[in-house]
Amino acid sequence: MDHQPYTRAMTAAGPTGGYDPRHFEQLFEVEAASFWFRARSDLINWALDSQFPSAQSFLELGCGTGYVVDRVRQLHPDWRLVGTELFEEGLDKARIRMPEGVELRQLDATQVPYEADFDVVGAFDVIEHIPDAPAVLAGMYRAVKPGGGLLITVPQHKWLWSEADVAAHHVKRYTKRELTAEIKDAGFEVIRVASFVSLLLPAMMASRLLKKDAGNVEEELDMAAPINKACYAAMRLEGALIRAGINFPAGGSLLAIARRPA
């Protein structure tokens, strides 16, 4: 079970780069029904609303087909929303998903042009694709207003590295300490770094470490409906525990919440 099956990269185009844009077609078809994308988006929106309740604008780097920023749009249709993506193939799908209400632009995440323009900035399963992730975080620091927020998700645990990470064009998997250090080095104050995909971690470990064709990430998105439903239920329970303040010691992914000092 690959819980970062088709994450967005911002470093190079084509199948030999940080992401293969040919995958956007399948991603667009399955994303809304996938337990992992749904549960991750639930967690992102909880962090956004609970930690930054006065926000009125949001920038997402590496928005892919626009699933996350569209979920934000549904909850906050009056906000200024901007989604950026390196690959035009992803933006084409995002424009179908959101014909209006969100500004979409092609952009390299290491070259963010904004200056204190947004209340919250986010990048979700993006920076693990980028060799110069600190450059992305520095750009996000510039883009967010003083006192504004940062939301990041990345794959966790270096010991989970497998052919699935190679197929997804990951540069690395993060530890909590490493992610915290990179965010602090960019100038942010870290509020919380939480593991998720924790209750399903044993299944993920079995898939990542034992499955011979773990690099075939296409299969991971084609999950039988009952299994998908059960996995979403497990992650909803996990999300409730995270919202209640529980910190899991391990998980397939990390969510980081931080703030630019006022």
Side-chain angles (χ1 to χ4, degrees), residues 141 144-148 186-189 258-262:
Y141 183 88
V144 73
K145 298 174 183 178
F188 290 99
E189 297 174 346
R259 187 185 305 274
R260 176 175 172 174

Side-chain angles (χ1 to χ4, degrees), residues 2 4 7 128-130 155-174 178 201 204-205 207-211 214-215 251-252:
D2 177 9
Q4 289 79 31
T7 45
E128 70 271 15
H129 296 266
I130 303 175
Q156 187 181 11
H157 299 311
K158 297 181 184 300
W159 48 264
L160 273 175
W161 184 270
S162 73
E163 288 300 315
D165 293 284
V166 176
H169 302 280
H170 291 169
V171 174
K172 62 181 176 181
R173 301 183 69 90
Y174 276 84
E178 187 175 27
L201 184 58
M204 182 178 181
M205 290 171 60
S207 175
R208 287 297 185 94
L209 302 178
L210 300 178
K211 190 176 178 183

Side-chain angles (χ1 to χ4, degrees), residues 233-246:
M235 288 195 67
R236 280 177 58 87
L237 172 59
E238 175 181 289
L241 295 173
I242 291 171
R243 293 192 295 273
I246 300 297

Side-chain angles (χ1 to χ4, degrees), residues 10-11 61 107-112 130-133 135-137 139 142:
M10 306 294 288
T11 53
L61 300 182
L107 181 71
D108 185 329
T110 64
Q111 301 177 27
V112 177
I130 303 175
D132 193 7
V136 181
L137 291 166
R142 292 192 302 271

Side-chain angles (χ1 to χ4, degrees), residues 118-141:
F118 298 93
D119 295 320
V120 182
V121 297
F124 308 112
D125 293 278
V126 170
I127 67 170
E128 70 271 15
H129 296 266
I130 303 175
D132 193 7
V136 181
L137 291 166
M140 297 176 82
Y141 183 88

